[in-house]
Amino acid sequence: MATLKDFRNNVKPNWCPGCGDFSVQAAIQRAAANVGLEPEGLAVVSGIGCSGRISGYINAYGFHGIHGRSLPIAQGVKMANRDLTVIASGGDGDGFAIGMGHTVHAIRRNIDVTYIVMDNQIYGLTKGQASPRSAEGFKTKSTPLGTIESAISPLEVAMAAGATFVAQSFSSNLKQLTAVIEAGLNHKGFSLINVFSPCVTFNKVNTYDWFKENIVDLDEIPDYDYTNRVMAMTKIMETNSMLTGIIYQNKEKKSYEDSIPTFAKEGLTKQDLHISEADFNKM
Ligand code: SF4
Ligand code: MG
């Protein structure tokens, strides 16, 4: 059985010292080992941005895709080989700006992919411009007078799109981050895991200390029921999307691939599929 070290490779990350993405890498490696995966059973697909490098830093199948397109690639990988566990990854600019259309439709499709977003509320790779996650008034090189747009809430968008698994965590809380990734990997359907992953070089507002002061940990909310959709949406709105932990899970809805008869051979006959006995036996 694979252990944590089996998911490590010899590639040295070139993230800035202190970047939150190091913890996301470590948490994925730990979670993969903890849920009993083997490196050859895991594919990590990434988009473009500092976060996009993560697919090269994990010993598994990796695909460094193009900007905002990690989800179409990850969904293609999953449909082509449904025995693989597939992680899609990216940043907040990648997933919630150019890639938002893919994000919404992958969520409502409920395909069995775990999507991990490294949300630093800025574009880091291009040296610090406002992202869709930057708060109104946030000053950057591209918004010297402060951004006039509202920040998007990926949690609210995901809930509205019918997500079956929504979680959020923080790079500074490796224990919780590993646990939510494990839960996402075990979830049969699409999982959105948004991770507050500070950019220490270009975002001097949303720092580790800022997140520590503003995060609301679900473990500290007694009687929270993550299977209750209305409660989840209410808490997300009450906390201005600063909740961390497993926020919502629906285990009842079938995943996309399990809803396609030709992908679920069990219980089907060749008559159901309108194919010959020889072709049916080849499946
Ligand atoms: Fe991380 Fe920011 Fe450095 Fe990119 S620029 S590696 S996001 S700290
Ligand atoms: Mg970003």
Side-chain angles (χ1 to χ4, degrees), residues 206-226:
N206 308 111
T207 60
Y208 283 95
D209 285 344
W210 185 89
F211 282 112
K212 277 177 197 156
E213 273 166 32
N214 287 282
I215 275 171
V216 180
D217 192 331
L218 276 173
D219 286 346
E220 284 154 28
I221 301 181
D223 305 327
Y224 184 79
D225 176 5
Y226 65 82

Side-chain angles (χ1 to χ4, degrees), residues 28-60:
I28 291 173
Q29 290 164 325
R30 281 173 166 72
N34 291 349
V35 301
L37 294 176
E38 301 291 331
E40 62 271 25
L42 173 66
V44 181
V45 179
S46 60
I48 294 293
C50 295
S51 59
R53 299 173 183 142
I54 203 162
S55 55
Y57 301 156
I58 292 168
N59 186 39

Side-chain angles (χ1 to χ4, degrees), residues 174 225 255 276 278:
L174 188 59
D225 176 5
S255 69
S276 71

